[in-house]
Every structure is written in structure tokens, then in C-alpha cells.
Amino acid sequence: MVKQFQLYRWLRFIFLATAGILIVLEPTNSLNYIIYIVSAYIAFYGILSLWDGWSIKRKTGESNIAIGFGFLALIVAVLVLLVAKFLVQLVPPLLGIILLVNGVNQFRDSHETRKQVKFMPWLDYLYSALLILAGVVFILNPSKTIIFLYQLFGVALIVLAFFEIVNSSIYSRKK
């Protein structure tokens, strides 16, 4: 079981590091590759889960949840291939609308609070303006914002990969 746990950890590390580096270095050209990598990762995870489930079933004779997770992962892998590109294009405009609505609500709340407290909340107004500005930029220029968000996501994946390696080495020493 510990070997299987380590295998999943190494699988995550390879996926996170590969995807993160690819995203950071080539954000505009890597989207198709990332979709394939994500789909392959999910499919490989599903195959490993099916393998675990069937080996448990052979040993115990009982059905287990790993088999269901394996089939579900394979279905999700196919869905990622079919709909990921469309969903990625929706992120900046939806995020922009959310930021715009939050900015307007923050401004309104600050203005209402100002009436009751008799205090000018300049920082709240600045925060509101920044939220509104970010929302408008995300709505009007989704291609640039998606590249920026995508690169931030790539950096986060590299950091997560580093943590996977650190945790893996910690667990291997605890055996």
C-alpha cells in the first residue's frame, strides 16, 4: 500500500511539474498540450484505480469503490478532451463579471457605512475601484487576462510539484 501511495505521489509530481513548466514557458501555445496532459493524467489515475480495485476484489472477493472511481476517472478524462477548451474560454468573462459585481457591491456597502459612521472609507473606495477595473479588464480583454491567469496557475503547479517531492521524501524516510 505504501508503494502504491508513493506511485500516486510520483504521478502527481510528474504531472504538476510538466504542466507547470510548460505553462510558464509557453502560455499561448501550451493549452492544447495541457488539455492532453490533464486528460492523460486522469486516465492513468483511472487505470491505476481500476487495477487497485480489481486486485482488492481478487483478494477479498468484495466490490470496492476504487473500481467505480476508476471508471469515473476514465469518463472524466474523455470529457476533459471534449469540453476543456470551451470552458477555459469562459473563465475570464465570468471572473470579470464576478469582480465587477463585487466591486459595485463593495462600493455600495462602503457608501452606506459612510452615512452611518460619518467616516470617509477611502481604502474601501480604492478597493472597490480596483475590483471594478479588474472586472472590466477581464471582460473586455479576456485573451490577455487568461494568459496571465494561466501563467500564475503554471507557477502554482510548479510549487505544488516541489511540495509533492518534499512530502515524498519525508514519507520515504518514515518507513
Side-chain angles (χ1 to χ4, degrees):
M1 193 65 163
V2 173
K3 286 182 183 179
Q4 197 69 13
F5 182 69
Q6 289 292 90
L7 178 64
Y8 283 117
R9 217 175 249 294
W10 276 102
L11 176 64
R12 279 193 307 270
F13 165 73
I14 292 168
F15 165 72
L16 293 170
T18 304
I21 291 168
L22 190 62
I23 290 169
V24 169
L25 295 179
E26 287 292 328
T28 55
N29 299 328
S30 65
L31 182 60
N32 288 333
Y33 298 121
I34 296 301
I35 291 171
Y36 293 128
I37 289 170
V38 167
S39 182
Y41 169 78
I42 295 169
F44 192 66
Y45 178 82
I47 291 168
L48 286 177
S49 187
L50 283 172
W51 186 25
D52 286 345
W54 282 323
S55 66
I56 291 170
K57 186 174 182 173
R58 271 191 309 227
K59 290 177 185 174
T60 64
E62 296 178 11
S63 294
N64 57 69
I65 198 160
I67 294 172
F69 280 140
F71 282 119
L72 183 64
L74 292 175
I75 291 168
V76 169
V78 171
L79 287 175
V80 164
L81 285 175
L82 297 177
V83 299
K85 215 167 197 177
F86 173 72
L87 292 177
V88 166
Q89 293 173 354
L90 292 177
V91 170
L94 289 175
L95 189 57
I97 291 168
I98 291 168
L99 289 172
L100 187 63
V101 168
N102 277 338
V104 169
N105 283 337
Q106 176 70 29
F107 181 82
R108 187 200 63 206
D109 292 345
S110 300
H111 190 67
E112 290 298 318
T113 303
R114 180 180 158 247
K115 290 178 185 177
Q116 296 169 355
V117 180
K118 306 292 186 212
F119 172 73
M120 184 64 74
W122 291 109
L123 289 176
D124 284 345
Y125 287 153
L126 177 65
Y127 176 66
S128 302
L130 290 174
L131 281 175
I132 291 169
L133 179 67
V136 168
V137 168
F138 275 53
I139 291 169
L140 296 179
N141 197 357
S143 62
K144 296 277 187 191
T145 56
I146 197 164
I147 290 171
F148 175 71
L149 289 174
Y150 195 49
Q151 283 181 310
L152 283 178
F153 179 66
V155 170
L157 290 179
I158 293 169
V159 170
L160 288 172
F162 174 74
F163 287 143
E164 282 293 333
I165 282 296
V166 169
N167 284 338
S168 183
S169 67
I170 289 170
Y171 281 113
S172 66
R173 280 188 246 143
K174 299 283 184 188
K175 281 192 215 179

